[in-house]
Amino acid sequence: AVAVFTGKANCPYYAKAELLADYLQTNLPNFRVHKITQHPEKWEQWLHDICEANGWEHTQSPIIWRELLDRGGKGQLLGGLNDFLEYTQQYYGITSMMLSDEMLDIAEENLQAHLEIVKEDEEIKSLIKPMQIWITSASVPICYHLIPLLASGEVFGMTTEISIHLLDTVQVKEILHSIVMEAEDMAFPLLRSISEHTKIDQAFIDADIIIVLDDVLLNLEVQSLENYIRELSDICQVYAPLIEKNAKSHVKVISSGKTFANLKATMLRTYGPSIRPENIIAIATSWESTAKAMLARKLNMNTAGVKDVIVWGNITGSNYIDLSHAKLYGYDCAIRGPANFQRPLLNMIYDSEWIHSEFLSAQSTLSSRVSRCTGMLPAHAVATVLRYWYQGSPSEEIISVGILSEGQFCIPEGIIFSMPVRFQNGNWEVMTELEINEMTQKVLERLSHELVQEKLVALKEINEMRPYEAE
């Protein structure tokens, strides 16, 4: 058995009890001691909690019990100092002759030592600052699949701890609670904490990363597209000022979801002007990945060998899948080379009718596949882009991301537009060196016009918009 001694750090009776315990542990082979020193200000609450948990009655410092490690169950209460002195006298014939002055001096030393230990612990904890990640509309399936990817260590590195905050309305509190418990049960080494939040005014506190998953479910038979756009704008009007107020200055904001991915990012920038514009992006990787998979199946090759497919424009609206720069690696053809040998994709696909009918048309199989994805693919897309942002993207490989236009490729400024970028050193840069043909340029003009009009609708009659409420 182990004798547990706990008391106020400045208590002279605790000092006398622990010194006698140290003597017994040194001189008796089977006597083991575990000491728990409490700050004087925390003692009363701690004593109340330990007595309530074990069904004990004890009101002063110290409190001493035997922990029956080999038998299970709660410990056996011995009592306070006098009870312990009586116990040691009866069982071991040993007592303490410590004088009152000695007890007071040692108690003062105990307090100083305890304060130094507490300070040292706080300093150590302050050095370990987990990355704070907030996820909105966290009850959606994407979030459920995203959490294991973020907590695995592959996204931010195997030495970066994270804390995840799930934000949604009070109506889905039970779903959030279930996600939290399941994530805790998985015991990820790098997941410092995961918590649920339903009070909007507490959103985004100390956020390093914010992943916005909010969607408005479109049903144009119920209301107009303009009303849905205004509904989304209302959400961004609430989020953006809270991000400015509560999040860290370098916060990265990621827009994902099934509807208005570009517009969400645009409006968060519009209503949150102090958020760094280069830190607000929209995720296009789901389209990129699905397009590569379709092309790989057509060519009967590994999907990982298809590179540099570009997604232009409105990610969850009208976009253009550009294959003019796409390349194939490891393609089984008459000409072979080393691992880095590549072939232009369009030279390998001779079925141009398939490209335009099945692949690029508005009602294509590609559009259908992306729209049906609700969990794994969009979660993987978010995690992949975050990994690139923090660890860099593959050298020379094209990644499509919705970013705030500054006039690249003659795209109007002030809208979030998906275009080719590369990630390195914690930043991204647009691959403006890529040449685009005349046909692509015309497509970009049309897509730009559509996004500009969408933004104008969102901003129209702003003062008459109803406030978005989240409990």
Side-chain angles (χ1 to χ4, degrees):
V2 174
V4 182
F5 292 75
T6 180
K8 289 190 292 184
N10 63 345
C11 173
Y13 303 108
Y14 174 57
K16 186 170 184 174
E18 68 162 344
L19 283 178
L20 177 56
D22 289 341
Y23 175 83
L24 293 173
Q25 181 170 246
T26 303
N27 292 278
L28 298 175
N30 295 322
F31 192 93
R32 289 179 292 162
V33 175
H34 178 63
K35 291 181 281 188
I36 304 173
T37 305
Q38 293 293 332
H39 191 282
E41 294 178 0
K42 298 181 179 179
W43 166 252
E44 294 295 338
Q45 184 62 49
W46 191 91
L47 179 62
H48 172 270
D49 293 343
I50 197 71
C51 288
E52 185 175 33
N54 290 279
W56 297 334
E57 290 187 10
H58 193 83
T59 59
Q60 56 192 354
S61 173
I63 180 173
I64 305 164
W65 70 87
R66 293 174 68 226
E67 199 73 56
L68 306 177
L69 298 179
D70 56 341
R71 303 181 193 177
K74 66 179 182 180
Q76 178 184 357
L77 179 65
L78 297 180
L81 174 62
N82 291 335
D83 300 300
F84 179 59
L85 292 176
E86 183 179 339
Y87 172 82
T88 56
Q89 178 67 47
Q90 181 178 348
Y91 281 90
Y92 306 112
I94 299 172
T95 189
S96 173
M97 303 302 293
M98 183 185 293
L99 301 176
S100 297
D101 290 343
E102 292 178 285
M103 291 164 57
L104 292 170
D105 290 342
I106 294 173
E108 180 60 29
E109 291 177 8
N110 280 349
L111 178 59
Q112 294 306 316
H114 177 71
L115 294 177
E116 289 177 9
I117 291 171
V118 169
K119 182 180 178 181
E120 183 178 334
D121 287 344
E122 290 175 350
E123 289 175 351
I124 292 173
K125 290 178 182 178
S126 70
L127 297 175
I128 305 173
K129 296 180 179 178
M131 184 175 291
Q132 305 293 326
I133 303 172
W134 283 77
I135 304 175
T136 72
S137 287
S139 63
V140 299
I142 299 175
C143 179
Y144 186 81
H145 293 278
L146 180 60
I147 290 170
L149 299 176
L150 298 177
S152 68
E154 293 185 9
V155 175
F156 305 109
M158 299 306 295
T159 60
T160 302
E161 293 190 354
I162 64 172
S163 290
I164 296 177
H165 305 266
L166 308 179
L167 177 67
D168 214 318
T169 60
V170 71
Q171 287 82 2
V172 294
K173 185 175 177 62
E174 287 301 315
I175 296 176
L176 297 183
H177 189 60
S178 297
I179 296 173
V180 167
M181 288 196 299
E182 192 166 352
E184 289 175 340
D185 290 346
M186 294 179 75
F188 294 104
L190 296 174
L191 182 59
R192 172 71 71 84
S193 65
I194 181 167
S195 55
E196 58 196 82
H197 303 266
T198 56
K199 295 182 178 178
I200 191 66
D201 59 329
Q202 297 177 3
F204 315 129
I205 292 175
D206 292 330
D208 292 289
I209 295 170
I210 299 171
I211 302 169
V212 182
L213 301 180
D214 296 73
D215 273 328
V216 292
L217 302 179
L218 298 179
N219 185 348
L220 298 181
E221 295 179 359
V222 175
Q223 61 176 337
S224 67
L225 182 64
E226 288 77 8
N227 284 339
Y228 284 116
I229 289 176
R230 291 193 181 99
E231 184 179 331
L232 179 78
S233 183
D234 291 346
I235 297 172
C236 295
Q237 271 191 285
V238 172
Y239 283 170
L242 287 169
I243 294 172
E244 290 183 304
K245 176 184 175 183
N246 295 338
K248 294 175 182 173
S249 61
H250 60 260
V251 64
K252 291 177 168 62
V253 182
I254 293 170
S255 172
S256 184
K258 297 173 71 68
T259 60
F260 300 118
N262 291 54
L263 185 60
K264 276 186 290 188
T266 299
M267 300 317 294
L268 288 171
R269 169 61 186 157
T270 301
Y271 297 132
S274 70
I275 305 171
R276 296 179 184 179
E278 67 274 16
N279 281 4
I280 304 178
I281 67 172
I283 302 295
T285 314
S286 294
W287 281 90
E288 206 176 84
S289 299
T290 305
K292 290 176 180 178
M294 282 188 66
L295 293 165
R297 282 190 293 272
K298 179 69 174 176
L299 292 163
N300 193 28
M301 65 175 292
N302 189 331
T303 303
V306 183
K307 307 287 186 183
D308 299 346
V309 173
I310 303 175
V311 181
W312 295 96
N314 190 353
I315 296 163
T316 51
S318 296
N319 58 46
Y320 173 56
I321 308 300
D322 183 1
L323 303 181
S324 62
H325 298 274
K327 304 176 185 68
L328 304 178
Y329 292 81
Y331 181 57
D332 187 10
C333 62
I335 303 175
R336 299 194 179 192
N340 62 349
F341 178 71
Q342 44 87 8
R343 302 282 290 162
L345 181 143
L346 289 177
N347 288 358
M348 301 294 105
I349 294 185
Y350 301 103
D351 190 351
S352 59
E353 183 179 344
W354 175 85
I355 292 177
H356 291 94
S357 61
E358 290 292 321
F359 189 75
L360 295 180
S361 69
Q363 303 299 322
S364 67
T365 306
L366 176 61
S367 300
S368 175
R369 291 182 68 87
V370 174
S371 64
R372 289 201 303 267
C373 294
T374 59
M376 283 192 293
L377 178 60
H380 177 263
V382 172
T384 298
V385 171
L386 274 173
R387 176 163 56 86
Y388 290 161
W389 209 343
Y390 280 86
Q391 302 188 54
S393 56
S395 177
E396 301 304 319
E397 189 171 326
I398 297 173
I399 310 299
S400 301
V401 176
I403 54 106
L404 187 67
S405 170
E406 295 180 348
Q408 304 95 332
F409 305 107
C410 298
I411 298 166
E413 297 182 18
I415 56 172
I416 298 290
F417 196 95
S418 181
M419 61 182 79
V421 306
R422 65 167 65 88
F423 290 89
Q424 56 186 8
N425 302 320
N427 301 302
W428 52 260
E429 62 177 4
V430 180
M431 301 177 72
T432 52
E433 71 276 13
L434 293 179
E435 295 183 5
I436 58 174
N437 57 39
E438 185 177 345
M439 184 199 76
T440 300
Q441 189 65 64
K442 289 182 179 179
V443 172
L444 299 190
E445 290 175 8
R446 176 175 58 81
L447 298 178
S448 299
H449 177 75
E450 189 174 290
L451 280 168
V452 169
Q453 292 304 309
E454 194 175 77
K455 180 181 177 181
L456 290 175
V457 171
L459 293 172
K460 187 179 179 181
E461 299 175 359
I462 183 174
N463 293 327
E464 297 181 9
M465 291 182 181
R466 62 190 182 282
Y468 172 72
E469 296 180 0
E471 296 181 84

